[in-house]
């Protein structure tokens, strides 16, 4: 749950109530029921957070499932959204069980986990949630299962997995979501407009641009101002990143000059791309990651190319999009990729990835001795052909 100036005291009281059964009568009990196969799993209760918030939620209580049940008790001053998380889950036969939003309010709240999904009951807000959003989620789950069984049958008849088939059924899935979830969410949120509960579900049920215009015009002004500002900053920043990413793809098309890359080797030595671009040579950039199986599978081909053209001026620079140094180092030791290996250790937020508009990996780029890009993302035979053609022209 977001902490704002006008709700800070409320949050403190709500959290403190989780550890105390005494209070002013605003007591609640939260009981969860699951199949006994989940016995021994740990359950966490945490304040709900927003996807666009830098704040990280910290569990305020926890328990162990025993005999198919867990229970939390406490007091709360006003309704607030929390999230139940079950750790060490041994299967995923219960849809949505990994993270369940629950409205903590006074009364006896019950959470039932079964193969149809999650059912909340026992208090007014949770009952209304189930009658609207919860019911919608279960119906979407039911119809989606039917839809994707049909998709699988069609793919078997076609004899292969077609992008057109997948695109069609993905669009049908989106239509089902809009038909069911949008009206259900609008109904529930309208009833709780102006509260932290309404604010939370406004942003988590659907994206703002999916709701009806009339609904947004009526509800959005009721949302906490600081929360709106944080959301709008997030959207603006995301759009700026998307715009820069698109411009980067155009700026690194074939025929355009290379963009500088500065990163470090596993030993900490700084490497600059500009220092590797030399007259008569050819630089092969290879964006990869330790988790990327296709990237690993392409490494033998890169070794073959270097073995054949390394002495003629081919320079291979591997740019890892890893975030964790240990995983990157382990992969280097195991697979021993050829060439200069560098990383910013910033994952998909790496400057090099954004500067070159890398949408997926493996991603390759060829830069000639004049610093001009001569091939963008060739693989397999096309990569071999591009390298051979360059050196054969010399």
């Amino acid at each position: 749950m977001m902490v704002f100036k006008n709700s800070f005291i409320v949050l403190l009281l709500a959290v403190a109530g989780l550890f105390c059964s005494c209070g002013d009568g605003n007591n609640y009990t939260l009981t969860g029921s699951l199949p006994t196969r989940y016995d021994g799993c740990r359950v966490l209760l945490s304040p709900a957070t927003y996807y666009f918030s830098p704040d990280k939620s910290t569990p305020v209580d926890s328990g162990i499932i025993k005999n198919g049940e867990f229970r939390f008790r406490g007091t709360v001053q006003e309704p607030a959204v929390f999230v139940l998380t079950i750790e060490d889950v041994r299967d995923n036969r219960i849809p949505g069980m990994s993270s369940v939003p629950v409205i903590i309010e006074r009364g006896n709240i019950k959470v039932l986990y079964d193969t149809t999904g999650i059912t909340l009951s026992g208090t007014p807000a949770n009952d209304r949630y189930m009658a609207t959003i919860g019911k919608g989620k279960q119906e979407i789950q039911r119809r989606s299962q039917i839809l994707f069984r049909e998709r699988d049958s069609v793919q078997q008849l076609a004899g292969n997995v077609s992008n057109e088939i997948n695109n069609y059924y993905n669009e049908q899935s989106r239509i089902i979501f809009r038909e069911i979830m949008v009206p259900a969410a609008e109904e529930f949120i309208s009833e709780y407009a102006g509260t932290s509960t309404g604010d939370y579900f406004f942003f988590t049920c659907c994206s703002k641009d999916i709701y009806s215009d009339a609904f947004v015009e009526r509800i959005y002004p009721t949302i906490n101002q600081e929360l709106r500002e944080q959301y709008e900053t997030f959207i603006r920043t995301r759009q700026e990143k998307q715009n820069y990413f698109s411009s980067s793809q155009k700026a690194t098309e074939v025929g355009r000059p290379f963009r500088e890359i500065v990163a470090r080797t596993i030993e900490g030595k700084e490497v600059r791309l500009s220092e590797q671009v030399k007259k008569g040579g050819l630089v092969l950039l290879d964006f990869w990651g330790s988790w990327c199986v296709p990237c690993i599978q392409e490494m033998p081909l890169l070794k073959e190319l270097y073995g054949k053209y390394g002495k003629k001026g081919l320079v291979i620079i591997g740019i890892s999009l890893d975030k964790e140094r240990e995983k990157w180092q382990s992969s280097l030791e195991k697979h021993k990729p050829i060439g200069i290996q560098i990383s910013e250790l910033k994952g998909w937020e790496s400057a090099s990835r954004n500067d070159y508009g890398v949408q997926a990996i493996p991603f390759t780029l060829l830069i000639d001795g004049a610093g001009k890009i001569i091939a963008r993302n060739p693989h397999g035979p096309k990569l071999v052909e591009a390298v051979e053609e360059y050196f054969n022209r010399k």
Side-chain angles (χ1 to χ4, degrees), residues 46-307:
S46 311
T49 57
Y50 294 88
Y51 66 90
F52 51 83
S53 169
D55 297 339
K56 301 300 181 183
S57 182
T58 302
V60 295
D61 208 347
S62 65
I64 302 296
I65 300 171
K66 184 178 180 180
N67 297 324
E69 190 174 281
F70 64 85
R71 180 174 285 108
F72 296 107
R73 291 190 179 92
T75 61
V76 62
Q77 298 304 308
E78 66 178 37
V81 183
F82 280 69
V83 175
L84 285 170
T85 305
I86 300 181
E87 295 185 328
D88 306 319
V89 174
R90 300 174 181 85
D91 63 55
N92 58 357
R93 281 179 277 177
I94 298 176
M97 73 174 299
S98 60
S99 182
V100 181
V102 179
I103 303 162
I104 299 297
E105 58 183 348
R106 67 177 180 177
N108 297 315
I109 306 165
K110 297 180 180 180
V111 188
L112 174 64
Y113 296 73
D114 63 26
T115 53
T116 63
I118 315 298
T119 302
L120 305 176
S121 63
T123 60
N126 286 295
D127 286 342
R128 285 302 297 148
Y129 170 85
M130 278 309 304
T132 52
I133 297 172
K135 182 180 179 181
K137 286 184 176 181
Q138 291 180 347
E139 179 61 13
I140 289 172
Q141 175 72 18
R142 185 188 69 82
R143 290 180 59 177
S144 294
Q145 287 177 343
I146 296 172
L147 182 70
F148 289 113
R149 280 200 296 267
E150 178 183 311
R151 179 203 60 186
D152 293 342
S153 297
V154 171
Q155 287 178 341
Q156 288 179 357
L157 290 173
N160 55 40
V161 178
S162 164
N163 287 334
E164 289 76 11
I165 293 174
N166 278 329
N167 291 339
Y168 170 79
Y169 282 98
N170 287 338
E171 179 57 29
Q172 294 306 303
S173 180
R174 287 190 285 268
I175 291 173
I176 289 174
F177 181 87
R178 291 191 181 97
E179 288 180 348
I180 297 173
M181 185 51 66
V182 172
E186 290 186 358
E187 181 180 349
F188 178 81
I189 295 165
S190 294
E191 295 181 26
Y192 291 89
T195 70
S196 61
T197 298
D199 291 355
Y200 177 78
F201 286 103
F202 178 91
F203 289 111
T204 57
C205 285
C206 307
S207 61
K208 182 169 174 276
D209 58 345
I210 291 181
Y211 293 118
S212 65
D213 292 340
F215 173 77
V216 173
E217 184 177 349
R218 178 168 52 87
I219 298 298
Y220 195 64
T222 71
I223 294 174
N224 182 285
Q225 182 179 350
E226 291 184 51
L227 181 57
R228 293 201 310 268
E229 290 173 355
Q230 193 174 55
Y231 169 76
E232 288 160 8
T233 297
F234 172 84
I235 294 299
R236 184 167 56 253
T237 301
R238 185 175 66 179
Q239 187 60 55
E240 289 171 354
K241 287 183 178 180
Q242 290 174 346
N243 291 342
Y244 181 76
F245 190 82
S246 297
S247 68
S248 293
Q249 291 181 323
K250 294 179 181 178
T252 55
E253 291 176 344
V254 172
R256 304 297 295 272
F258 76 92
R259 286 182 160 184
E260 181 68 291
I261 293 177
V262 181
R264 294 183 180 276
T265 65
I266 196 69
E267 294 82 17
K269 179 184 177 182
E270 182 179 277
V271 175
R272 290 180 174 271
L273 173 58
S274 55
E275 296 174 352
Q276 304 301 322
V277 176
K278 300 174 182 178
K279 185 176 181 180
L282 179 68
V283 174
L284 192 166
L285 298 183
D286 173 39
F287 288 83
W288 69 288
S290 63
W291 71 92
C292 172
V293 174
C295 299
I296 306 302
Q297 292 174 336
E298 199 165 62
M299 287 181 180
L301 176 61
L302 299 183
K303 291 178 181 179
E304 288 180 16
L305 286 172
Y306 187 77

Side-chain angles (χ1 to χ4, degrees), residues 282 366 374-375 378 381-391:
L282 179 68
L366 293 178
I374 63 170
K382 290 186 178 181
L383 176 59
V384 173
E385 180 182 348
V387 173
E388 287 181 345
E389 183 180 346
Y390 179 79
F391 285 105

Side-chain angles (χ1 to χ4, degrees), residues 287-289 291 319-323 343 347-348 350 353 358 361:
F287 288 83
W288 69 288
W291 71 92
I319 305 166
S320 168
L321 297 185
D322 278 271
K323 292 182 69 174
S343 179
W348 290 96
S350 298
R353 178 251 170 181
V358 178
I361 55 176

